[in-house]
Amino acid sequence: MKVLTIGDVVGEAGIDTLYTLLRRVKRAQGADFVIVNGENAAGRGITPAQADDIFSAGADVITLGNHAFGKRQIASYLDEHTDVLRPANLAPQSPGQGWGIYDGPQGLRLLVMNLLGRCDMPYGPDNPFLCADKILRDNEGKYDIALAEIHANATSEKLAMGYYLDGRAAAVWGTHTHVQTADNRINPKGTGYITDIGMTGPVVSVLGVCPAQSIAMFRGDLTEPFQTAPGECALSGAVFEIGRDGVCSSVTRVWERCGR
């Protein structure tokens, strides 16, 4: 089985890129299941219409992150759509859910969990490590393969989660920093891992934002609200090849340009 994970989709440009490239990449990689992080589809957050668009582009599951509720109209959508996951370690009264079990290829049951890091993040969710333990414990015997996304700022926290779930999850990948890392590998007990799978959106940008605006912010200038950068876009992610025994045999980075 091959699981294709796609990094943070930024703005309508990122959604357009999914429409252009996702199904082609899925075919080329032989992917059986697609997980897309959509928390930046509206810049900060995602709307119901954008979630529908991401599914139409070819996603099986959408994950979110620290901007999960940036657009409040997504709240009721999350309660109605179990294939959109907000972070599992948010307050328990939060709309939606942070994990789900889905039908995969060859009758496999896939447990997907969405975790939010705490290091250098703007608010304090529950402990993601203990949350992962609880999800796995509560669902023991109900799934065949576990997959975990950790949406976090610190590379150390993502690395720690990769080793913490080594041998218990088939794949662990990071999102949030929008820069694809080159440390794709198999951890000692057979878990596929990469610290960050990157972003899907404008190539000439700072995390999807117009460079001039980002530079102005770092200079300390007065700035207008961030705008998604124009120009050529790319899709970024990773493919995990996983056996029926839950052991990952390869992790392949994906990065493909498209014109706009």
Side-chain angles (χ1 to χ4, degrees):
M1 176 186 70
K2 289 186 177 182
V3 176
L4 172 61
T5 60
I6 301 297
D8 304 49
V9 174
V10 178
E12 291 296 331
I15 294 175
D16 291 345
T17 303
L18 283 183
Y19 269 107
T20 301
L21 292 178
L22 181 54
R23 294 189 188 279
R24 183 199 314 170
V25 170
K26 182 178 178 180
R27 286 194 302 270
Q29 296 292 335
D32 303 293
F33 197 81
V34 179
I35 303 170
V36 177
N37 185 289
E39 76 137 9
N40 294 123
R44 288 176 177 262
I46 185 173
T47 67
Q50 289 171 329
D52 288 340
D53 286 342
I54 292 174
F55 283 126
S56 295
D60 294 299
V61 171
I62 297 173
T63 54
L64 302 176
N66 58 304
H67 296 310
F69 301 114
K71 302 298 180 186
R72 292 302 176 93
Q73 59 264 47
I74 199 64
S76 59
Y77 189 97
L78 292 179
D79 283 331
E80 297 164 2
H81 294 78
T82 58
D83 45 7
V84 184
L85 301 177
R86 48 86 170 165
N89 52 323
L90 293 181
Q93 68 270 27
S94 300
Q97 62 186 47
W99 58 269
I101 298 175
Y102 309 99
D103 294 331
Q106 305 167 10
L108 292 171
R109 299 166 298 173
L110 308 182
L111 168 63
V112 182
M113 66 179 96
N114 186 198
L115 304 168
L116 184 63
R118 299 193 297 177
C119 184
D120 295 328
M121 299 295 266
Y123 55 87
D126 288 342
N127 189 308
F129 294 81
L130 301 182
C131 181
D133 285 340
K134 186 176 189 303
I135 292 170
L136 294 176
R137 182 175 61 250
D138 289 351
N139 290 285
E140 186 174 1
K142 300 177 184 178
Y143 67 92
D144 301 301
I145 290 173
L147 308 166
E149 175 179 323
I150 176 165
H151 193 82
N153 196 42
T155 56
S156 57
E157 191 172 16
K158 298 177 189 181
L159 283 160
M161 183 65 74
Y163 286 118
Y164 189 67
L165 294 178
D166 191 15
R168 296 194 288 161
V172 176
W173 64 96
T175 54
H176 180 64
T177 56
H178 291 208
V179 178
Q180 188 183 70
T181 55
D183 61 341
N184 48 305
R185 62 172 182 266
I186 310 298
N187 280 345
K189 297 179 182 178
T191 294
Y193 175 81
I194 182 171
T195 296
D196 202 289
I197 57 174
M199 60 161 265
T200 297
V203 174
V204 181
S205 72
V206 179
L207 312 187
V209 173
C210 294
Q213 287 189 301
S214 184
I215 292 168
M217 179 193 71
F218 284 114
R219 278 172 46 90
D221 301 339
L222 295 177
T223 60
E224 298 178 351
F226 282 163
Q227 300 294 321
T228 303
E232 187 180 19
C233 290
L235 176 148
S236 182
V239 177
F240 298 85
E241 186 166 3
I242 302 164
R244 292 187 65 89
D245 58 358
V247 175
C248 187
S249 59
S250 69
V251 183
T252 304
R253 284 178 287 137
V254 173
W255 195 88
E256 185 165 342
R257 289 176 179 261
C258 73
R260 277 177 56 203

